[in-house]
Amino acid sequence: PVDPFRPSTMAVSVAAVLARQAGLGVDIGTAPPYWLPQADVTPSVGQARAAGVPRAGGEVLGTTSDPAAAIVDHVRHHRVAMVCMATRGRAQFGQMVLGSVSAAVVRESPVPVLLVGPRVGHFGPRVERIVACVDGSETAERALPVARDLAAQLSAELLMVRAVSGAVADDLPAPVAGVEMVHDDWPARALARYGGDRGDTVIAMATRDRGAFRRLALGSVSRTVVREAACPVLVVPAQA
């Protein structure tokens, strides 16, 4: 999905890279408000085709007062493997990390959502690393199979990382084979920094259950990673 006011975004470039690498197509859609009936996705489709994806098409999903619902409905009725969309930075008073549309899509999407945050300034021709964030919890572990499958499909390296604050570092259990530990007083900052700005990395992490804090799509760590990371973040909703 693209913003009808800014149809050409970094998210289109990121989606094109993944699609070309996986041999998939890109479907670009937009759900404009009722007062903007002439929305056009042609620039986004052209951007994807110029990036060399096997197939790129576009569709105006219809004017609506609830664009997130229109996007999720489209995903549910088509063979969609992943949603890729841009997010806003801080909203008023810095209280929201995701735009209201992207937050609602994450909350309801039946498939993983790749979020391209405000700090993603460039993305290279290939994905070389998938960074799976794990912490031993059942919620975090849900992202691991998705990250593993994506790494295999893209022939990318799979890295597993666990971020812990200095306050609890002394109380951690024994290290787990294959999981790199990174320490920081702000775990979200550590994860975002680990992803780096190489232009070839995707961070993968899971969200909490929809039943808890339903108005918030992501936990505080996940929201901050999306905001601070210079690479896209693949969010795996509870229902995906």
Side-chain angles (χ1 to χ4, degrees):
V2 295
D3 187 330
F5 301 100
R6 289 176 294 178
S8 294
T9 69
M10 179 60 68
V12 176
S13 297
V14 171
V17 169
L18 269 71
R20 186 183 64 241
Q21 197 167 338
L24 300 175
V26 174
D27 291 325
I28 296 172
T30 190
Y34 286 113
W35 48 267
L36 186 68
Q38 300 300 319
D40 184 13
V41 296
T42 301
S44 296
V45 173
Q47 183 181 349
R49 288 176 176 167
V53 298
R55 181 186 60 80
E59 180 181 354
V60 176
L61 304 181
T63 56
T64 178
S65 60
D66 190 346
I71 292 166
V72 172
D73 183 69
H74 180 83
V75 170
R76 286 175 175 156
H77 291 88
H78 295 77
R79 296 180 61 186
V80 175
M82 178 190 300
V83 174
C84 180
M85 62 192 305
T87 72
R88 287 186 257 165
R90 297 177 188 268
Q92 191 174 16
F93 307 118
Q95 293 177 347
M96 289 295 292
V97 174
L98 299 182
S100 58
V101 174
S102 52
V105 170
V106 168
R107 187 172 61 240
E108 302 294 340
S109 175
V111 299
V113 181
L114 187 62
L115 297 173
V116 182
R119 293 184 183 272
V120 181
H122 70 100
F123 205 67
R126 286 183 57 85
V127 175
E128 301 289 354
R129 304 192 306 166
I130 305 296
V131 176
C133 302
V134 298
D135 62 11
S137 69
E138 184 177 346
T139 294
E141 295 301 319
R142 283 192 288 101
L144 189 53
V146 175
R148 185 180 292 116
D149 290 347
L150 182 61
Q153 190 171 21
L154 300 178
S155 297
E157 181 183 12
L158 175 64
L159 303 172
M160 292 180 288
V161 61
R162 180 174 182 178
V164 295
S165 67
V168 300
D170 294 336
D171 301 324
L172 288 175
V176 177
V179 177
E180 184 173 351
M181 307 287 285
V182 293
H183 302 273
D184 198 293
D185 290 337
W186 187 17
R189 178 175 59 191
L191 293 173
R193 185 170 60 239
Y194 191 93
D197 62 354
R198 300 173 10 158
D200 65 356
T201 302
V202 171
I203 294 174
M205 55 199 322
T207 67
R208 60 162 64 101
D209 251 335
R210 287 192 300 173
F213 302 100
R214 183 170 175 81
R215 292 198 310 171
L216 295 177
L218 305 176
S220 59
V221 172
S222 303
R223 295 198 311 272
T224 304
V225 172
V226 171
R227 184 187 68 211
E228 298 294 332
C231 62
V233 178
L234 181 66
V235 177
V236 182
Q239 66 279 5

